[in-house]
Structure formats: structure tokens, C-alpha cells
Amino acid sequence: MTLSLIIHYIKSASRELVRFKLNTTVNLLGITLGICAFLVIGIYVRYETGYDRYHKNVEDTYRLTCSTKDENSDAQNWAMTPSAYPGIFKETFPEVENSARVLRSADHNLVYDENKFKTHFIVFADSTFLDILEYPLALGSPKAALSGTNQIILTHETAQKLFGNEDPLNRIVSVYSDRGELQCNVTGVLKKDLPPTHLDFEAILSYDGAIKLWGDGIDQNPWFIRVFNYFKLKEGTKKQVMVDKFNACLREQLPDIAAYMTFDLQPVASIHLNSDLMFDTKNGNKSSVYWLGVIGILVLVMACVNFINLTSTEAIKYHKKVAISKLLGAAKYALFFTQFIKAVVLLTIAAAISVLTIWLLLPTIGNIVDINLSLQAGLISFIIKFTLLIILLTGVLIGGISTAITRITQSDINISVLKRGNGIVKPLVVFQFLITIVLISGTIVIYKQFKYINQEDLGYSIDNKIVAKAPTQYAAVANDFSLGMKTFKDEALKLPGVELITSSYVVPGQEVPWDYITQNVNNENKEVGINMNFVDYDYFDGYEHKLLAGKFFSEHEKTTTEGILLNKQAIDFLGYKSPDDAINKTINLNGNQLRIIGVFDNHHQLSFKHAYTPFYLKFQEFGKSNYTFCISGSDQKATYNNIKKLWEKHFPHDPFDGVYLTDFYNAQHKKEHIFSRVFNIFCILSIFISVLGIFILSVSTTQQKTKEIGVRKVNGATVSEILVLLNQSFVKWVIVAFIIATPVSYYAMHNWLESFAFKTTLSWWFFALAGVAALGIALITVSWQSWRAATQNPVEALRYE
């Protein structure tokens, strides 16, 4: 094919696009929206599936996990494992190339001169950590950054907060926790816009700092399940072979531990989307990411379906032109290239608009999906490659289908068949409405699930509460922490709007430490794995827990130090007949005999993805973890500011980090909320694209039936009969789509709901409403054009053609 012929095809395609403005506008708008949607989802899926894949030899890098189980309790799957095993396994097995321990710890103050801030998480890591997870450094040497004692690597954001534009290397940063203080030398700064990783932290400290704060018990301890352990295996080593060797080594060297613990290896690159273990980092949701990927593809396909439908209806008009071209000697491939180039021209324009739109809206897109997006080289390359792939594949598809349809239309019989709505148009329209019905029903189910979550009783109250971490630096240096907190609490209770203050080890929405209790029930010893919380006297009044039997802690009774409260799930596991039956029974907790003084109702400590777990409450006044301010009044912002001012007066070195408990608790469902937002946006896009497609098809249908409409009206047909004639085929298409979409929707949403331990029920009316909505959309779209045709002067209709 010569260059001049290609130019001729481009000119011809351009003239057709300009001549048929309505079709071109509809096609351009639909395909632009489709490409935009596909690229947005592609960017999100690329980001979510790209976690930790930049580490060298990541396919040989694993995290050690464990499962603990005994005769009387369910299995618990842990992301953390004891601190002893990296050293043991590295010395024992030559297949282990390297290993590192990582202890992740919350709530530290970092201080340099007058600059200070409270971190969410920092990690303490062995010197080999950066050899396994190769986070890129902007300053410092990866080999030396953690090789000494009291060394610290800062993220770019942390370095900016502490040092601004100064060089941070070899500066001393004070690190405070409630266990004490460290003076650390800055030996590295991570690059800005760090690639996504499953570990979230604001600084990396050498592991010896953890030993100084936590004690020697965390160093090489086979019982201390508090550490993430990472291994890099030699190339070619099989994962399962090493899992078997690790467990065999455990049984040989530590049979007591092996009796209830087994190990597994988790590929580091799969942690973000495939890990849902106890005390894990905040990871993504694989099913949500992949569902959104499928939806992005389907919306693009819907836009392409519009393109194909318009092309197929146009092909009917061009059959004579094509036949004449063939008689004049046109090559067989001529029609293909004509339609291919026409499609490519339109797709190129749409792609250019799409890429420009995404570039302008990239920060907004990042906010919607809650990820940090920037136009880096990798992202630009991804967008260009996918855009070119869309143009090429769609162009070939359109060209091939147009050629096939035009060949069919050389037969007058087949032309009439196509005019009656058969051929390729009908199934494609059914497919469009199928996707639309699935997305509408999915939107309804997601809405119902979040409504269920918002309305379901949590088992306590989280409204009108501000939660703040205990003052970290003050806890590290105070001679009498309890006295200082009592003084602050007494003054805070005098503030307008502050009704009650209570302290606790954890608050709703925080993952809870795990312990074991033992009890003899019916001459049978039962050990139950159980969550724990340490609380003060005011905890029950502040959170309004439901007491089923017994009483709560009281400063006037001895039961405060000797008693314990269990939830209903715990007494059920222990085998008591009722809450009253458990009162005054004794249990063994870490060698101490404690009396059950109360039973409280089950509550949702974590999100609705988690089932109820056994839970106990133990007394501790003025803990060093969390303080909850129960507030009232209409001006809660003023109350917040007053608490903050008083806090800064008593604890000037500790920033006030108070958050509203409802926001903190609901953040657990952040990934689901992102999924819901994106799903809703794509549902609206699919409806709009369907409207575009059915509108242009209704225009084509009325044009084909113009003469028939005129004849029927002359013979006495009413407007309503004409409307039924024009609308009935579209109604049939929607009904067929609904029949197919209902089981598909049910299967998809049933699987999505299975990720929740507590969920709404799937009702038939969810899907019926989606079908009615799709039918209403179709009828509203078609009826306007049908009404115009039905009310047209029959004389004008008979003059048509």
C-alpha cells in the first residue's frame, strides 16, 4: 500500500466524520469516556499490583508467617513471628541467603531542636534489612545506613518536617516512646515519592534501639511473636521445600512451640493484595482491585459497542456504494482500510482528549482512589502503551466488523434482516444493557451494605468522642506519669463540653493484642485465645457497653485488682450456660487466678469484615496508650480547641493528635469506600454510554421506519400505537439483558459480600429495581425520538426516500 493511498483513505475518513456530525459526536464522546475510564482504572490497578515489585530478586523474597492452634481454640494466622528464627534458619539452611527482623511500633515523638512531630509508625530493623527490601535512598549508603547502633533513616517527608532544606545527614534526632528515649544519628533519607510498599513507616531505626526500649526479651526470643521476619532465598529455591524444612527444624529444636505453631512463607510481592493476617499492615483488597479492573474493561467495551453499532447501521446505507466500488476494481482490503483508518482517526482524537483529561485530573483521581499519583516516567510509559494498544485493537476490530457487515449487505435478504434488528446490533445492545443492569444492581447492594454498617449496633457508642494518644515524650521522662495525667484530667473535666475522660489500652478500630485464658469447665480444662484491653473506672460509662451480668470495676471494691470482665463470646467458648452462670467463677490468666465479675455483650472492635472474638477487660488507671474525651454541646470545634490548648499547656513537648472516634473507626472501611465511589462513578458512566448508544440507534430505527410510519398513520394508526411499534424492540432487548444479568449480578455481589462477617441480605428487589431502572432509561431515551416520529405529518413521512 502506497503513501498516497493511505493519505487518500485518511482524507476520505475525515470527510465522512465531518459529514455525519451526529454519529461522529456520539462516537467521539462515548469512546473518549471509555478510554478515560479504562486508563483511570488501569492506573489504579497498576499501582495496587505494583507493591514491592521493584525490589531486586523479589520473587525470592518472603515474609515468615505462622499459624497457632491448640485443642481448645481456633487457629490464629499471624503476620508476625518470634524474633529468634531469622538467625536460627540462616545458620541452619544454606538456601537462606539473607534474613532480617523488623519490629513495627506506633506513636513515637521525633524531635530535632524546636521541630517535633508524632509519628504513626516507625520500624526497627536489622542491618540486613535494606539488602532484602531495597528501598531507594536519596542520601546515605544502603550498606552502612543501619550497620551501627542508634542509627535512623528518615523518609523524605519526615526529613522535611524535622530539617526543612538543611542537610539531615549525621544530625542527632531524639526519639521518644512511652518506654524511654533514644538519641539517633541520621544516616540516610529515602527518596521522595517512595514506590508503594506494604510496610508503612516514617522512619527506620537500627534494631538495637528496639532492644534498648523493649528489653533483651525481644532479641532472639522464640516466644516473642511481635516481629516481621523477612528471608531472601537463593535463586531457584522452592518455597514449599523451605517451609517443610523450617517446620522440621522447629519440631526438632523447640518441640514445645512446634506443638501449637507452624510456619509458612509469604511472597513479599503478594502481601499487599493477598494478606489478611492478624497484626498485619494495612493492605489492599485483591477482589476489589480486580473487580474494578473488569469494570474498567467493560466500560471501554461498551463504548466500543456503540462504535460497532453505529458502524453496522451505517454499513447498510453504504452497501450500494461498496458494490459500485468493487465493480470499478476496488481491492478486497480497500473497505477494511477505509473503515480501519476512519476508526483510527476518531480513536486518536478521543485518545488525545482522554490523555489530556487524565493529565489535568491526575491529582483529583489520586484523591478519589486515595493514592499518590504523579507523572513519573513509568506512569507516562504505561499510559502511552495502553492508549496505542486500545487504538490498534479497536481499529482492527471496527475495520473487520465493518467489512464483514458490508459483505453481508450485498444480499437484499440480509439487508432486510439487518433492518429488522437482527445481525450484530441486537446482541451488542443486549450486552450493553446487561453491563448496565449489573452495575446498577451492584450499586444498590453496596449502598445497602454501607447503610447496614452505619445503622447496625456496634455494641457501644463511638459518637461525640475525641481520642488522643497519651503524651509520648512526657511518658518517657515523667517521674510520676499517673499524677501528671490526673492533674490534666481534673482540669480538662472543668472545660465546657467535656463530660467524661477515660483511658484504655486500645480504642474501637484498633487491632487488639492477643492473650490466652485457661478455665476448668465441667472437669475439662479449656484454653481460649482472647483479645484484651486494659481500661479505667470510667470506660464503661464513656463507651456505654451493655453489661449482661455482674458489674464493672469500682474504685471502692477489691474486685478492681482481682477481677476480670469477659464478653459473651468468651463465656460461650468456655462453655458456660449463661452470663449469670459465669459470674464469680475463676480463670487463669498468665498464672494468676482472676474472678469473673462481669459479662458484657459482644461488640465490633474492628470492621464488619471481622467476626466477634473472645474479649476480656482488665483494670488499669492512667494507661500510657489512649485517652477518650466524651464531649457534648453544639460547638464541638471550640471544645476540641480548648482540650488542645490545655494539653499543650501540660505537655508542651507532645503535639496533640486528637481525632474524632467516628472518623477513626470508619477509616477501617476506607478501601471499601474507595471501591464504592469508583463503582458508582463507573455505573453513571455506563448509563451515560448506554444512553448515547440507544439514542443513536433509536434515530437510525426511526429513519429506517419513516415510510412505514407514514403508511400506518394514513391507515389510521394512533400515536400510542406508533410509540409501541418503535419502542417494543428496545423493551425486548432490556428484558433479555435483565434475564441474563440477574444471575451474574447475584454471583458477583454475593462474592463481594462474603468478605464481610456481618452483611446485608441479598433481596430479589435489588435486581428487580436495577431492571426497572434500565428499562426506564431505555424508554426515556427512545421515547423522545419515537414521539417526534409518531407526531410527524404523514405526508412528510411518505415523501421520505
Side-chain angles (χ1 to χ4, degrees):
M1 182 179 292
T2 63
L3 177 62
S4 59
L5 191 56
I6 293 175
I7 294 173
H8 165 73
Y9 286 143
I10 293 174
K11 288 181 178 179
S12 176
S14 301
R15 282 195 296 268
E16 285 192 18
L17 291 173
V18 172
R19 179 182 176 189
F20 300 102
K21 295 181 177 62
L22 178 61
N23 286 8
T24 300
T25 302
V26 171
N27 265 335
L28 185 61
L29 182 57
I31 207 70
T32 299
L33 290 175
I35 294 175
C36 274
F38 180 77
L39 289 178
V40 167
I41 289 297
I43 291 170
Y44 176 68
V45 171
R46 174 183 177 271
Y47 184 91
E48 288 289 303
T49 55
Y51 272 67
D52 293 301
R53 295 190 181 275
Y54 49 89
H55 303 300
K56 188 177 180 181
N57 298 325
V58 70
E59 64 278 0
D60 298 315
T61 305
Y62 298 89
R63 183 176 70 180
L64 188 69
T65 63
C66 71
S67 178
T68 59
K69 188 179 187 329
D70 57 39
E71 295 179 358
N72 299 311
S73 62
D74 293 334
Q76 304 294 334
N77 300 312
W78 298 66
M80 295 175 175
T81 46
S83 57
Y85 298 105
I88 294 174
F89 293 155
K90 187 176 180 182
E91 292 175 3
T92 306
F93 303 109
E95 297 94 335
V96 177
E97 184 176 301
N98 219 335
S99 65
R101 297 169 298 176
V102 175
L103 189 147
R104 182 168 171 259
S105 185
D107 307 321
H108 296 72
N109 281 7
L110 300 187
V111 180
Y112 176 75
D113 286 344
E114 297 299 318
N115 299 327
K116 58 182 179 293
F117 77 100
K118 185 183 287 287
T119 65
H120 293 289
F121 287 102
I122 63 174
V123 296
F124 298 87
D126 284 327
S127 60
T128 52
F129 176 62
L130 292 181
D131 293 331
I132 296 176
L133 299 182
E134 297 168 317
Y135 298 119
L137 293 181
L139 298 173
S141 167
K143 296 293 183 184
L146 294 173
S147 60
T149 60
N150 290 346
Q151 293 183 326
I152 186 171
I153 300 171
L154 306 176
T155 64
H156 175 82
E157 292 76 13
T158 301
Q160 286 288 309
K161 291 176 182 178
L162 291 176
F163 299 100
N165 295 322
E166 296 181 26
D167 183 1
L169 289 183
N170 299 316
R171 304 290 180 92
I172 302 300
V173 172
S174 299
V175 181
Y176 294 93
S177 80
D178 59 7
R179 290 178 169 82
E181 174 188 0
L182 296 172
Q183 297 293 318
C184 296
N185 180 37
V186 179
T187 55
V189 176
L190 296 172
K191 286 186 176 180
K192 185 180 181 181
D193 297 326
L194 190 70
T197 176
H198 70 283
L199 272 176
D200 51 334
F201 55 81
E202 287 145 300
I204 308 171
L205 286 77
S206 49
Y207 196 80
D208 68 282
I211 297 173
K212 290 176 182 178
L213 293 176
W214 292 69
D216 293 337
I218 70 168
D219 187 30
Q220 308 299 327
N221 188 335
W223 296 95
F224 185 72
I225 306 180
R226 180 65 176 78
V227 175
F228 295 127
N229 288 311
Y230 295 90
F231 291 90
K232 181 171 282 189
L233 305 181
K234 290 184 178 178
E235 187 176 355
T237 303
K238 300 294 185 183
K239 168 196 162 185
Q240 192 55 48
V241 171
M242 295 312 300
V243 169
D244 294 339
K245 287 186 176 182
F246 285 175
N247 285 310
C249 178
L250 180 66
R251 290 191 296 270
E252 180 182 341
Q253 297 193 18
L254 297 164
D256 291 344
I257 296 178
Y260 79 97
M261 182 184 293
T262 56
F263 289 129
D264 198 359
L265 287 172
Q266 186 177 43
V268 165
S270 73
I271 290 175
H272 178 65
L273 291 181
N274 296 278
S275 184
D276 188 23
L277 306 176
M278 291 178 58
F279 302 107
D280 207 344
T281 52
K282 298 297 183 183
N283 292 318
N285 186 306
K286 179 179 178 180
S287 62
S288 293
V289 171
Y290 286 170
W291 273 118
L292 289 179
V294 170
I295 291 168
I297 294 172
L298 291 177
V299 171
L300 176 62
V301 171
M302 288 178 69
C304 293
V305 164
N306 278 353
F307 206 152
I308 294 168
N309 282 342
L310 288 174
T311 302
S312 59
T313 54
E314 288 175 358
I316 301 172
K317 304 173 185 177
Y318 297 147
H319 71 285
K320 291 182 180 179
K321 176 182 175 181
V322 173
I324 293 171
S325 298
K326 286 185 176 182
L327 288 174
L328 295 176
K332 292 182 179 179
Y333 59 77
L335 176 63
F336 171 82
F337 277 106
T338 300
Q339 295 300 325
F340 171 74
I341 290 176
K342 178 182 174 182
V344 166
V345 169
L346 192 62
L347 286 165
T348 302
I349 297 171
I353 297 172
S354 300
V355 171
L356 178 62
T357 302
I358 289 173
W359 176 66
L360 293 173
L361 296 179
L362 200 61
T364 304
I365 295 168
N367 290 335
I368 291 173
V369 297
D370 196 36
I371 57 177
N372 182 24
L373 293 177
S374 57
L375 278 176
Q376 299 173 337
L379 181 57
I380 294 172
S381 174
F382 170 83
I383 292 174
I384 292 173
K385 289 177 181 177
F386 264 76
T387 303
L388 292 176
L389 183 65
I390 292 169
I391 292 172
L392 179 61
L393 292 180
T394 308
V396 170
L397 181 65
I398 297 298
I401 290 175
S402 300
T403 303
I405 290 173
T406 310
R407 285 176 180 171
I408 293 173
T409 58
Q410 301 312 302
S411 164
D412 288 339
I413 296 175
N414 284 331
I415 292 173
S416 62
V417 170
L418 280 172
K419 286 185 176 181
R420 289 197 303 270
N422 290 327
I424 198 169
V425 177
K426 182 189 294 184
L428 292 179
V429 173
V430 170
F431 172 80
Q432 274 195 324
F433 275 99
L434 187 155
I435 301 304
T436 299
I437 293 170
V438 169
L439 292 179
I440 292 174
S441 59
T443 300
I444 295 170
V445 173
I446 292 170
Y447 167 77
K448 288 293 293 181
Q449 175 62 14
F450 279 108
K451 184 177 179 181
Y452 171 83
I453 291 172
N454 293 331
Q455 294 181 347
E456 181 71 3
D457 184 10
L458 297 176
Y460 51 80
S461 171
I462 62 173
D463 297 327
N464 301 318
K465 291 177 176 59
I466 297 170
V467 174
K469 295 289 184 181
T472 304
Q473 190 167 338
Y474 180 75
V477 301
N479 293 325
D480 192 336
F481 176 81
S482 296
L483 179 60
M485 290 308 300
K486 184 178 187 307
T487 303
F488 167 77
K489 182 177 178 180
D490 290 342
E491 290 189 35
L493 286 171
K494 298 176 184 178
L495 295 174
V498 178
E499 293 189 336
L500 185 145
I501 303 172
T502 177
S503 69
S504 58
Y505 187 66
V506 295
V507 296
Q510 281 184 316
E511 198 153 12
V512 186
W514 199 259
D515 207 342
Y516 287 89
I517 59 173
T518 306
Q519 170 67 306
N520 185 286
V521 179
N522 299 324
N523 296 319
E524 179 184 358
N525 282 326
K526 288 195 173 184
E527 185 179 56
V528 174
I530 190 168
N531 288 139
M532 63 182 186
N533 197 7
F534 295 94
V535 301
D536 66 6
Y537 298 117
D538 298 311
Y539 181 78
F540 248 57
D541 289 336
Y543 279 97
E544 302 174 26
H545 273 284
K546 297 177 182 177
L547 198 62
L548 302 179
K551 56 190 173 183
F552 193 60
F553 303 120
S554 170
E555 56 186 319
H556 306 298
E557 297 185 21
K558 190 178 178 181
T559 55
T560 293
T561 56
E562 296 181 353
I564 192 171
L565 281 89
L566 303 180
N567 72 342
K568 188 175 184 303
Q569 190 80 355
I571 66 167
D572 288 343
F573 271 45
L574 289 171
Y576 291 112
K577 298 177 181 178
S578 67
D580 290 317
D581 184 40
I583 299 300
N584 292 323
K585 300 297 193 301
T586 58
I587 64 166
N588 184 297
L589 175 66
N590 301 322
N592 298 315
Q593 295 296 319
L594 299 174
R595 187 160 59 91
I596 302 172
I597 65 170
V599 177
F600 59 99
D601 202 1
N602 296 325
H603 65 287
H604 294 279
Q605 173 66 25
L606 297 176
S607 73
F608 278 51
K609 286 177 171 286
H610 300 268
Y612 291 134
T613 58
F615 213 100
Y616 79 71
L617 298 179
K618 192 87 171 58
F619 176 77
Q620 180 186 58
E621 192 171 17
F622 300 118
K624 295 182 178 181
S625 296
N626 295 282
Y627 284 80
T628 302
F629 300 82
C630 302
I631 62 176
S632 62
S634 57
D635 195 355
Q636 294 191 355
K637 184 176 181 181
T639 303
Y640 181 96
N641 291 334
N642 289 335
I643 295 172
K644 181 179 180 182
K645 288 177 183 178
L646 185 64
W647 182 282
E648 292 170 348
K649 173 186 172 183
H650 283 264
F651 317 115
H653 301 295
D654 285 277
F656 182 71
D657 63 344
V659 295
Y660 288 97
L661 185 57
T662 50
D663 296 336
F664 179 79
Y665 186 86
N666 291 332
Q668 297 177 98
H669 293 114
K670 183 173 72 173
K671 292 291 183 181
E672 285 71 33
H673 280 293
I674 291 171
F675 177 76
S676 174
R677 286 200 300 266
V678 177
F679 196 97
N680 292 341
I681 290 170
F682 275 69
C683 179
I684 294 170
L685 278 178
S686 74
I687 292 172
F688 186 72
I689 292 172
S690 295
V691 167
L692 288 177
I694 203 168
F695 170 73
I696 203 68
L697 285 176
S698 67
V699 172
S700 176
T701 301
T702 54
Q703 287 177 349
Q704 293 176 17
K705 294 180 178 290
T706 298
K707 200 166 186 178
E708 180 184 348
I709 292 168
V711 172
R712 287 178 180 272
K713 290 195 71 176
V714 168
N715 289 322
T718 63
V719 172
S720 59
E721 290 173 338
I722 300 296
L723 286 175
V724 171
L725 170 69
L726 295 175
N727 289 359
Q728 62 183 357
S729 60
F730 294 99
V731 172
K732 291 177 183 177
W733 295 346
V734 174
I735 292 173
V736 172
F738 171 73
I739 293 171
I740 301 172
T742 298
V744 174
S745 301
Y746 180 87
Y747 174 79
M749 298 320 298
H750 174 77
N751 284 351
W752 182 74
L753 287 174
E754 282 300 298
S755 64
F756 294 88
F758 298 88
K759 49 187 174 286
T760 188
T761 55
L762 286 175
S763 300
W764 64 268
W765 68 265
F766 294 172
F767 310 103
L769 181 60
V772 171
L775 181 61
I777 290 166
L779 289 176
I780 291 172
T781 305
V782 173
S783 293
W784 178 74
Q785 185 65 29
S786 301
W787 176 264
R788 287 185 60 194
T791 56
Q792 188 179 12
N793 189 329
V795 175
E796 296 296 327
L798 292 173
R799 288 177 179 173
Y800 187 73
E801 297 180 344

